[in-house]
Amino acid sequence: SYLKRKKGSRIHGKIAKSRIDFDNYSQLKALIHDFQPDVIGIRTLTYYRNFFHQAVKMIRQWDITVPVIAGGPYSSSDYETIMEDPHVDLAVLGEGDVTFFELMDAIDQNNGKLPDIEVLEKINGIAFRRHMGHTQTTGNIKDSQRDAAIPVGFNDDLDDE
């Protein structure tokens, strides 16, 4: 992935897919507790929106407090609904490779916590809640950044779970 190419060994990620890596919420809970992520990113389609919202609700009920970031087609097409969910911290819009990298950098520089609004406003391609619960979006990623995010090969680092 773009993030893995840029960060190298400084990042350790895991991709888990429902019905492949877990079949129920208990297995999802065990997977998260075993891995101990600093950030949870969830990519989903609009078709699975109910499962998505139930899963993030359960994650918060399990006292998992790391940032939860939504991405994928549902996030891009209906970020307003996603940002109404109090269990989601922010949404990545559109092609998110460069945006997610910049977001991870900002979180890393803020000791694993979401940065302040002033920092988030400088990251293109996200939606987040401002004061009083209003959703704010930032600009699209630049075309030059979009080109940089296009993967060189299809199998790039996918087996490094």
Side-chain angles (χ1 to χ4, degrees):
S1 74
Y2 181 79
L3 184 61
K4 182 74 171 176
R5 282 195 310 271
K6 294 297 250 183
K7 290 279 195 180
S9 63
R10 296 179 312 193
I11 190 156
H12 180 67
K14 181 174 189 70
I15 297 172
K17 298 178 181 178
S18 62
R19 299 190 186 239
I20 295 173
D21 298 302
F22 61 94
D23 289 321
N24 55 51
Y25 292 116
S26 295
Q27 290 176 353
L28 174 61
K29 181 180 181 181
L31 190 147
I32 293 170
H33 279 285
D34 289 347
F35 187 68
Q36 294 292 307
D38 296 319
V39 174
I40 296 175
I42 303 175
R43 178 202 180 274
T44 193
L45 302 171
T46 303
Y47 181 81
Y48 297 108
R49 67 185 172 272
N50 293 333
F51 171 73
F52 166 82
H53 289 286
Q54 183 62 32
V56 294
K57 179 180 178 183
M58 298 294 289
I59 288 168
R60 294 305 191 207
Q61 287 177 351
W62 299 327
D63 291 325
I64 298 169
T65 60
V66 300
V68 173
I69 302 169
Y74 177 43
S75 177
S76 296
S77 65
D78 197 5
Y79 66 85
E80 296 95 347
T81 300
I82 288 177
M83 295 315 303
E84 289 174 4
D85 187 327
H87 307 105
V88 177
D89 294 301
L90 60 84
V92 173
L93 312 175
E95 288 296 325
D97 289 346
V98 173
T99 301
F100 197 66
F101 168 75
E102 291 176 359
L103 193 52
M104 292 302 96
D105 249 5
I107 291 171
D108 188 34
Q109 292 174 19
N110 199 39
N111 297 316
K113 306 246 185 282
L114 283 178
D116 294 333
I117 289 173
E118 295 76 25
V119 174
L120 292 176
E121 289 174 330
K122 296 175 184 170
I123 300 173
N124 289 327
I126 61 173
F128 58 93
R129 275 184 296 283
R130 288 190 62 86
H131 306 292
M132 308 294 287
H134 299 295
T135 298
Q136 175 177 337
T137 60
T138 59
N140 294 327
I141 63 171
K142 299 176 184 83
D143 288 337
S144 61
Q145 289 176 315
R146 186 181 326 278
D147 293 340
I150 296 172
V152 187
F154 291 107
N155 295 323
D156 191 34
D157 293 321
L158 289 180
D159 58 348
D160 286 343
E161 295 183 28

